[in-house]
Amino acid sequence: AQKVTQAQTEISVVEKEDVTLDCVYETRDTTYYLFWYKQPPSGELVFLIRRNSFDEQNEISGRYSWNFQKSTSSFNFTITASQVVDSAVYFCALSDENSGGSNYKLTFGKGTLLTVNP
Amino acid sequence: NAGVTQTPKFQVLKTGQSMTLQCAQDMNHNSMYWYRQDPGMGLRLIYYSASEGTTDKGEVPNGYNVSRLNKREFSLRLESAAPSQTSVYFCASSEIQTPYEQYFGPGTRLTVT
């Protein structure tokens, strides 16, 4: 069965520090998709990135970067020069064919609460 | 373009009462989902609707029913609320039933006493 583990429950950093959020996944499929979502204190969930299992290129978007390594089943998220506005809960999620036959559903990790202090 | 909207934002129920959570999306998405979020548990899928006219159980469907009223609307009903259903409920939609990103509503905070 598919599973997503975010071992870091809470992380606290000081503004301008770099921080990496870990995500480890389990799946038996060769075709799968990985996602990161952000949930700021206001409560809504904001999509950040989707990555498919055939694309191991790292991605950078401004201060955000993602490192996908199939060899270690990890999809880690790094925020460079963190800011107070980055304070949020971050969720990693997995979608594969075995999430219900041909139905793609998201399996979420339990989330990492990131607090960025001024 | 409001995206995904949910009503109500907050609700307090007594054990045994019933209520319906409403969700609507204006993005012409085919697939819609209901999740619940509990502290330390992440989001867990309750029910989903791959397309208009179909619904399927997710990970935690017990105690809930759903209706896909039309392409835009997907409601979640609690027939006899229990304290274990105290949670934050999120509705989401996606373009089609493939691994495209899901867009989430603002959530409904439900307390059952």
Side-chain angles (χ1 to χ4, degrees), chain A residues 15-29:
Chain A
E15 211 169 14
K16 296 185 185 170
E17 281 186 33
D18 297 347
V19 58
T20 295
L21 310 181
D22 297 333
C23 173
V24 173
Y25 61 92
E26 292 176 32
T27 176
R28 281 178 276 185
D29 274 358

Side-chain angles (χ1 to χ4, degrees), chain B residues 25-100:
Chain B
Q25 51 89 11
D26 62 2
M27 296 175 281
N28 202 35
H29 286 171
N30 284 289
S31 300
M32 297 184 74
Y33 312 81
W34 276 106
Y35 293 89
R36 60 178 288 172
Q37 181 180 23
D38 302 294
M41 298 292 290
L43 280 86
R44 293 181 291 169
L45 183 65
I46 305 171
Y47 270 93
Y48 67 99
S49 171
S51 60
E52 189 179 351
T54 69
T55 60
D56 281 290
K57 295 178 181 178
E59 183 185 350
V60 288
N62 291 345
Y64 305 95
N65 285 302
V66 290
S67 294
R68 183 73 183 268
L69 304 168
N70 48 55
K71 190 172 184 180
R72 288 187 65 247
E73 298 171 285
F74 189 37
S75 63
L76 178 72
R77 182 159 178 85
L78 287 70
E79 290 291 352
S80 179
S84 60
Q85 294 177 303
T86 293
S87 188
V88 180
Y89 290 86
F90 287 96
C91 178
S93 69
S94 64
E95 201 169 292
I96 51 179
Q97 235 271 308
T98 65
Y100 289 115

Side-chain angles (χ1 to χ4, degrees), chain A:
Chain A
Q2 66 283 358
K3 185 178 177 183
V4 176
T5 301
Q6 295 179 255
Q8 304 149 308
T9 306
E10 294 187 37
I11 301 176
S12 183
V13 299
V14 176
E15 211 169 14
K16 296 185 185 170
E17 281 186 33
D18 297 347
V19 58
T20 295
L21 310 181
D22 297 333
C23 173
V24 173
Y25 61 92
E26 292 176 32
T27 176
R28 281 178 276 185
D29 274 358
T30 55
T31 301
Y32 53 89
Y33 296 79
L34 295 160
F35 301 77
W36 276 94
Y37 281 85
K38 174 182 180 180
Q39 186 177 39
S42 52
E44 77 275 18
L45 279 120
V46 178
F47 166 77
L48 295 178
I49 190 172
R50 179 186 75 238
R51 179 59 95 209
N52 74 56
S53 53
F54 299 110
D55 183 1
E56 280 195 80
Q57 273 196 320
N58 290 334
E59 177 144 347
I60 298 174
S61 176
R63 297 184 297 106
Y64 294 172
S65 62
W66 290 269
N67 182 277
F68 177 27
Q69 292 198 335
K70 285 175 79 170
S71 60
T72 56
S73 297
S74 65
F75 186 44
N76 296 337
F77 173 29
T78 297
I79 302 174
T80 303
S82 60
Q83 299 176 2
V84 173
V85 292
D86 295 327
S87 296
V89 180
Y90 290 87
F91 291 98
C92 182
L94 165 72
S95 182
D96 62 17
E97 282 194 330
N98 283 323
S99 301
S102 60
N103 298 320
Y104 287 91
K105 299 190 292 292
L106 287 177
T107 298
F108 282 84
K110 295 184 179 181
T112 298
L113 172 62
L114 173 65
T115 302
V116 181
N117 298 298

